[in-house]
Amino acid sequence: MIRKKLIAFSALLTLLVCGNSSAFSQIDSIKMAKKYMTELYSELQQISAKLEEFDDIALIEKDLATSNFYMEDYFNENKKMIVDNRKQLFDIYSDYEILNTEIKKKIAELEAEEGVQKNKEKLLVNFDKYDAHFKQLYESATNYVANKDHDSLEMAQTKANTTYNDISNEYLANKALFDGDELLNKKHEEIKTTYEQIITLKSKRINVMDIVFKVTITLAAFFMIYNIVRAKLKIKPKKKDEEPTPTL
C-alpha cells in the first residue's frame, strides 16, 4: 500500500534532512519532497474519483483522514522549505487543499441529500397512513348517510377536520420537501380530495315531531273526507214521481 511506503519514506526523508543534511543537496531534498507530496496528491485524486454516492462516504472516509493526516504532518514539519519553493512544492500543497475542500464539500452535499431523501420517505409513510385513514373514514361516513345516522356522521366529519388540520400543518412545515416531488404532492391531493368528500356528505336528521305532525295532518284530512262522504250518504234524493205531501 502506498501509505506504508510513504510513512517509511517520510521518516527517512526527515532523518536525512534534519540529521544529515550534508549528505543531500537542497535540490535533492526538494525533489524528494515534490515526489512525496505528488504521491499524496495522486492518492487524494483516487479517493475523489471513488466518491459518487452517499454510500461511498463510508468507503473512503478512512483513507481520506489518513491522507489528510500525512499531508498536514509533512507540511508542518517542512513548512519553510515548502513555502520557500512555491512553484515546486507549495503549489502542490495548494492543489491538494483545494481538492480536499472539494471532497469535503461533496460529502456534505451527499449527506444533505441523503437527509432530505430520508425525510421525504418518512413523510410519504405518514401520508400513506393519513390516506388510508381518510378512505376508511369516508367509507364509514357513507354508511352513516345511508342509515340516516346524523350524529355519527357529524362525529366523523369533526374527526376529519381535526386530522386534516394536522395534515395541513405538517404539509406547511415541510413545504420545501413537497415542492418538485410528484409522489408527495399526489398523495397530498388524494388526501385532500377524500377529506372534501367526507365533509360534504349530508344526512337528514330524523325529526320525531315532524313525523307526528305529518301523521296528524294526514289523519285529520282522512277523517274530514270520511265525515263528508258519510254525511252525503245520509241525504237520500227524492223520487221524481213522488207526490208532495199536502199541508194543512
Side-chain angles (χ1 to χ4, degrees):
M1 185 68 182
I2 187 173
R3 287 194 296 274
K4 293 182 180 179
K5 295 180 180 179
L6 292 176
I7 294 173
F9 183 80
S10 178
L12 176 61
L13 180 60
T14 302
L15 289 173
L16 291 174
V17 172
C18 299
N20 192 20
S21 58
S22 60
F24 292 91
S25 65
Q26 182 68 16
I27 295 176
D28 290 334
S29 296
I30 293 172
K31 286 182 178 180
M32 293 179 70
K34 183 178 181 180
K35 181 180 179 182
Y36 178 64
M37 294 173 69
T38 300
E39 288 177 344
L40 281 176
Y41 180 62
S42 297
E43 186 178 71
L44 189 67
Q45 287 177 313
Q46 293 173 18
I47 293 172
S48 178
K50 295 177 182 177
L51 183 62
E52 295 181 354
E53 301 177 353
F54 173 79
D55 291 341
D56 297 331
I57 297 175
L59 301 177
I60 61 98
E61 58 183 356
K62 184 177 180 180
D63 289 343
L64 178 63
T66 302
S67 180
N68 287 173
F69 172 79
Y70 288 151
M71 178 58 85
E72 287 306 307
D73 185 62
Y74 187 79
F75 177 80
N76 291 331
E77 289 183 3
N78 301 278
K79 187 173 182 179
K80 186 177 186 308
M81 179 179 66
I82 293 172
V83 173
D84 290 345
N85 293 273
R86 186 173 190 85
K87 291 293 183 183
Q88 292 178 288
L89 301 179
F90 190 76
D91 284 354
I92 299 174
Y93 176 77
S94 295
D95 291 342
Y96 181 97
E97 286 300 301
I98 291 171
L99 180 57
N100 191 38
T101 300
E102 291 175 353
I103 292 173
K104 290 179 178 178
K105 181 180 178 182
K106 188 172 183 179
I107 288 174
E109 290 173 349
L110 290 172
E111 288 176 337
E113 289 174 3
E114 181 68 11
V116 168
Q117 187 59 36
K118 285 184 177 180
N119 287 336
K120 285 185 177 181
E121 291 173 358
K122 183 179 179 181
L123 278 172
L124 190 58
V125 170
N126 288 344
F127 274 64
D128 277 337
K129 292 179 180 178
Y130 286 136
D131 187 34
H133 170 73
F134 270 97
K135 286 177 179 176
Q136 179 61 45
L137 196 60
Y138 176 72
E139 184 178 345
S140 298
T142 53
N143 287 332
Y144 298 147
V145 172
N147 296 324
K148 296 181 180 181
D149 189 347
H150 180 83
D151 291 336
S152 294
L153 175 62
E154 194 173 70
M155 290 176 63
Q157 290 174 329
T158 299
K159 188 175 182 180
N161 279 323
T162 301
T163 305
Y164 192 72
N165 284 336
D166 294 337
I167 293 171
S168 297
N169 291 334
E170 190 168 352
Y171 171 78
L172 292 174
N174 297 279
K175 187 66 168 59
L177 297 178
F178 279 85
D179 289 344
D181 192 292
E182 184 178 350
L183 194 57
L184 278 176
N185 279 299
K186 181 180 179 182
K187 184 60 64 176
H188 179 253
E189 287 300 318
E190 289 176 355
I191 292 170
K192 183 180 178 181
T193 299
T194 308
Y195 162 71
E196 290 174 347
Q197 290 174 337
I198 293 172
I199 62 172
T200 54
L201 288 173
K202 293 183 179 179
S203 174
K204 190 173 182 180
R205 186 188 292 273
I206 299 175
N207 193 317
V208 176
M209 294 305 297
D210 285 346
I211 295 175
V212 172
F213 177 75
K214 290 177 181 179
V215 170
T216 301
I217 293 297
T218 302
L219 289 175
F222 172 79
F223 282 114
M224 183 179 70
I225 294 172
Y226 171 78
N227 289 330
I228 292 172
V229 172
R230 184 179 179 186
K232 286 184 177 182
L233 290 174
K234 287 182 178 181
I235 300 174
K236 296 181 178 180
K238 294 180 179 180
K239 296 182 180 179
K240 293 183 180 179
D241 56 351
E242 185 176 321
E243 294 294 331
T245 304
T247 58
L248 297 176

